[in-house]
Amino acid sequence: MSAAPDVAPVSSDLLLLEQHGATLVITINRPEVKNAVNLALAIEIAAAMDHLDSRPDLTVGVLTGAGSTFCAGMDLKAFLAGERPSLPGRGFAGLVEQPPAKPLIAAVEGYALAGGFEIALACDLVIASRTAVFGLPEVKRSLVAAGGGLLRLPARIPYHLAMEWALTGRLVPAEEAHDARLVSRITEPGEALAQALELAGTIAENGPLAVRATKQILSSARDWPSNEAFDRQREISEPVRSSADAREGATAFRERRTPVWRGR
């Protein structure tokens, strides 16, 4: 389990923020509607992602949901009233088209459905309880999973399996998602957040510049032409190699001590 959280930076009725060392925990706080996303919540999530990226003392984020559900997707009542919970340039939930530059871990309990599944897919790692359930049921309502689900799912699991999940709209138990390698780690019920914090803590022990650059390369490289890949990687990795933190890492190794990162 993690240590007691630091003082929360900024929270609201819709979104709770807590800082645990270099980890920011972001909790969607609409349990009365299974954490469904309306426009106000999308604006808050976008602001939280900006907060994560802008704070030099934060290295990684954990996104979870209050109560027994991660996120049931779009708030359909708001949708029927003419509201769309998307932001220009950021997409659904203020996140799916522009995830943070820093690593983001989804800690999933209960349902991660439709847009909720797309939020999880926008994260870099997924920790899920054994009782969690995933799915893209949009086709059952004559909708399209256009919040990144159809774009990201085939990159996470085998193509034909992604096609089956998306075309049938069926619910996928956490164990099956774990077997498909969509879920990084599976936990006992109620332990997803604790496991995500443990993983985040391990990541946060590393150099923050290197962590951010590593995510950038891993998430971007699939779109690079093969003859440009090393040059593009070099543009990202060389500033880290020449940083004060890189020198601190080598010095700490030589002196057999824990490095003190400055983020520069």
Side-chain angles (χ1 to χ4, degrees):
M1 294 292 290
S2 66
D6 299 337
V7 176
V10 179
S11 292
S12 73
D13 291 340
L14 300 178
L15 201 69
L16 307 178
L17 303 184
E18 289 184 340
Q19 186 172 345
H20 296 246
T23 299
L24 181 67
V25 178
I26 305 153
T27 303
I28 301 172
N29 190 40
R30 300 189 77 209
E32 70 282 0
V33 291
K34 300 189 182 300
N35 296 320
V37 180
N38 60 9
L39 179 58
L41 177 58
I43 292 170
E44 298 257 355
I45 292 174
M49 297 303 128
D50 288 344
H51 183 84
L52 171 63
D53 277 343
S54 67
R55 285 278 294 271
D57 57 332
L58 293 172
T59 302
V60 59
V62 172
L63 181 62
T64 193
S68 60
T69 298
F70 177 73
C71 177
M74 178 173 63
D75 186 327
L76 292 180
K77 289 184 179 179
F79 171 72
L80 291 173
E83 184 177 288
R84 299 193 67 174
S86 298
L87 300 181
R90 292 179 181 263
F92 175 73
L95 171 64
V96 300
E97 293 181 27
Q98 187 182 321
K102 295 177 182 178
L104 186 63
I105 303 171
V108 180
E109 300 276 354
Y111 291 112
L113 299 181
F117 190 14
E118 292 174 312
I119 290 172
L121 287 168
C123 296
D124 303 293
L125 296 160
V126 179
I127 309 297
S129 159
R130 293 187 187 278
T131 54
V133 178
F134 301 86
L136 294 174
E138 280 87 345
V139 290
K140 294 180 178 293
R141 299 291 179 264
S142 195
L143 296 170
V144 176
L150 303 182
L151 301 176
R152 289 191 169 102
L153 191 59
R156 305 290 194 273
I157 65 175
Y159 171 84
H160 291 102
L161 188 57
M163 188 68 76
E164 178 190 327
W165 290 7
L167 289 179
T168 63
R170 72 178 179 87
L171 303 186
V172 179
E175 297 277 6
E176 183 178 349
H178 184 252
D179 290 343
R181 301 297 186 263
L182 176 70
V183 171
S184 307
R185 299 183 184 181
I186 199 161
T187 76
E188 295 305 316
E191 293 296 316
L193 178 56
Q195 283 287 313
L197 281 169
E198 181 181 323
L199 178 58
T202 301
I203 294 170
E205 291 174 357
N206 301 319
L209 297 179
V211 166
R212 188 166 179 160
T214 296
K215 170 180 172 170
Q216 184 179 356
I217 292 167
L218 281 171
S219 60
S220 303
R222 69 171 66 93
D223 299 321
W224 294 344
S226 58
N227 63 331
E228 298 178 10
F230 278 94
D231 287 337
R232 294 197 181 191
Q233 177 178 259
R234 196 171 293 112
E235 291 175 2
I236 298 168
S237 64
E238 281 303 316
V240 180
R241 182 187 293 270
S242 61
S243 69
D245 272 1
R247 292 191 295 276
E248 166 64 9
T251 301
F253 177 80
R254 185 186 63 199
E255 296 176 354
R256 298 183 181 181
R257 60 173 174 81
T258 301
V260 178
W261 307 121
R262 305 295 185 189
R264 56 178 187 270

